[in-house]
């Protein structure tokens, strides 16, 4: 009897401690099921199994929910990049390969509508489709050569139209740029042929200009010679042979000066018998 009385007080205490620990664990689990966190750069909406998607949007922080009835759906609302390749045709029926790079984010206030009508993977469903549609529409207005020479105009047209289309789905575009633009092999061959033709035309034009210049120079030279001959003829008529004699004297004087300055010239006396008078 005494042994029973000694052990009895320990059992209720141990049971109560275990019960408290169990209740604490259940409470912590229940509380954690009622809370969810939204990180910076994210937003959340609630899907209620009884009423569907609720209209409220929850920003960063810790929020309450009803366990097993309400489920949070987390969206990334930061700007994210995406590249979309498109193959289309120009106004002159040339094949054009483009890659468009965009930065996008959803409109946080429209997240319930986006989730209901499109889904959480809205970017996969919407962006490739509208990019393909807009690029084909805009590129078809330009010739292949204009896509190169008027690239800024093409980019602006694509940006304006694509921004308008994306906003109808609750998507904001922060930046749009054409990062890749190439043409089909037919256009490359046509460009090469055009460049060769232009080079040939440049060479032909240079040859024609050179020939014209030489022709004009020959005409001017001939006119100058004719004028000089005319002037000489007039001079001869006025002074007769005296002008010729003067030119001879001037030429003889120039020859004498050249000979005088040369060391290889030996002067001989006018007497032709000079060598005969040498001693025997």
């Amino acid at each position: 009897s005494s042994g029973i009385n000694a052990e009895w007080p320990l059992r209720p205490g141990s049971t109560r401690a275990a019960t408290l620990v169990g209740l604490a664990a259940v409470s912590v689990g229940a509380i954690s099921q009622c809370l969810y966190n939204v990180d910076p750069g994210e937003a959340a909406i609630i899907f209620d199994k009884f009423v569907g998607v609720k209209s409220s949007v929850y920003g960063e922080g810790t929020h309450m929910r009803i366990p097993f009835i309400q489920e949070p759906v987390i969206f990334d609302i930061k700007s994210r990049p995406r590249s979309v390749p498109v193959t289309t045709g120009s106004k002159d029926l040339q094949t054009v390969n483009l890659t468009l790079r965009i930065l996008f984010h959803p409109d946080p206030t429209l997240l319930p509508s986006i989730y209901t009508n499109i889904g959480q993977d809205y970017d996969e469903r919407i962006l490739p489709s509208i990019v393909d549609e807009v690029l084909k529409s805009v590129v078809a207005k330009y010739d292949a050569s204009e896509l190169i020479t008027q690239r800024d105009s093409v980019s602006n047209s694509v940006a304006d139209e694509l921004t308008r289309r994306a906003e109808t789905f609750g998507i904001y575009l922060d930046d749009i740029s054409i990062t890749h633009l190439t043409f089909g092999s037919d256009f490359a061959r046509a460009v090469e042929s055009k460049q060769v033709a232009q080079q040939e035309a440049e060479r032909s034009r240079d040859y024609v200009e050179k020939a014209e210049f030489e022709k004009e120079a020959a005409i001017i030279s001939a006119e100058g010679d004719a004028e000089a001959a005319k002037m000489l003829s007039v001079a001869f008529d006025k002074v007769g042979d005296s002008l010729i004699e003067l030119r001879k004297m001037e030429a003889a004087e120039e020859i004498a000066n050249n000979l005088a300055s040369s060391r290889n010239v030996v002067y001989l006396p006018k007497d032709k018998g000079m060598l005969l008078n040498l001693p025997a």
Side-chain angles (χ1 to χ4, degrees):
S1 175
S2 61
I4 294 175
N5 292 335
E7 294 177 358
W8 176 251
L10 297 176
R11 291 178 180 177
S14 299
T15 303
R16 284 195 299 270
T19 302
L20 291 176
V21 171
L23 290 175
V26 170
S27 299
V28 170
I31 293 174
S32 65
Q33 289 293 322
C34 295
L35 301 176
Y36 66 94
N37 293 322
V38 179
D39 295 330
E42 296 179 341
I45 60 174
I46 293 295
F47 173 72
D48 191 298
K49 294 182 179 180
F50 293 117
V51 299
V53 177
K54 302 185 72 173
S55 60
S56 299
V57 178
Y58 302 92
E60 59 187 69
T62 301
H63 306 277
M64 297 286 296
R65 71 184 180 104
I66 301 174
F68 311 112
I69 296 177
Q70 295 180 337
E71 292 292 336
V73 180
I74 307 297
F75 280 85
D76 185 351
I77 59 174
K78 298 187 296 293
S79 288
R80 290 182 290 157
R82 185 181 180 92
S83 294
V84 182
V86 175
T87 299
T88 183
S90 62
K91 185 178 179 181
D92 54 351
L93 304 181
Q94 296 292 338
T95 301
V96 185
N97 302 305
L98 304 100
T99 299
L100 197 69
R101 182 182 181 275
I102 55 179
L103 288 175
F104 70 95
H105 71 275
D107 182 351
T109 62
L110 297 179
L111 290 180
S113 175
I114 292 174
Y115 183 73
T116 301
N117 298 315
I118 305 173
Q120 199 169 6
D121 57 345
Y122 64 93
D123 55 320
E124 294 286 346
R125 294 172 179 266
I126 298 299
L127 292 179
S129 175
I130 63 174
V131 167
D132 184 79
E133 173 191 341
V134 170
L135 280 178
K136 288 182 176 179
S137 174
V138 172
V139 170
K141 300 177 182 178
Y142 295 87
D143 292 337
S145 58
E146 293 174 340
L147 292 174
I148 299 175
T149 59
Q150 303 180 28
R151 184 161 179 166
D152 290 341
S153 176
V154 175
S155 297
N156 292 334
S157 298
V158 170
D160 293 341
E161 183 64 20
L162 193 59
T163 299
R164 185 186 64 81
R165 291 285 290 118
E167 287 179 354
T168 62
F169 296 97
I171 302 173
Y172 288 146
L173 303 182
D174 302 317
D175 183 67
I176 303 171
S177 60
I178 298 175
T179 59
H180 179 74
L181 175 61
T182 59
F183 300 92
S185 57
D186 292 341
F187 180 76
R189 285 193 294 268
V191 170
E192 183 178 358
S193 299
K194 183 178 180 181
Q195 290 176 342
V196 171
Q198 288 177 341
Q199 292 173 355
E200 292 292 338
E202 288 289 340
R203 282 194 290 267
S204 298
R205 183 164 57 251
D206 292 341
Y207 177 79
V208 171
E209 290 177 353
K210 181 180 179 181
E212 289 292 335
F213 177 78
E214 291 176 349
K215 178 181 177 181
E216 292 178 0
I219 292 174
I220 293 173
S221 177
E223 290 176 349
D225 292 342
E227 185 67 24
K230 183 178 179 181
M231 293 175 63
L232 287 174
S233 177
V234 171
F236 288 149
D237 291 340
K238 289 183 178 180
V239 299
D241 294 337
S242 58
L243 180 59
I244 297 176
E245 293 297 329
L246 176 61
R247 296 291 186 227
K248 288 182 178 180
M249 293 173 62
E250 291 175 349
E253 182 181 1
E254 183 179 356
I255 293 172
N257 290 332
N258 290 335
L259 292 175
S261 60
S262 176
R263 298 180 179 179
N264 298 324
V265 176
V266 177
Y267 293 94
L268 298 176
K270 186 176 181 181
D271 186 2
K272 298 180 179 179
M274 171 186 175
L275 296 177
L276 299 176
N277 296 328
L278 293 174

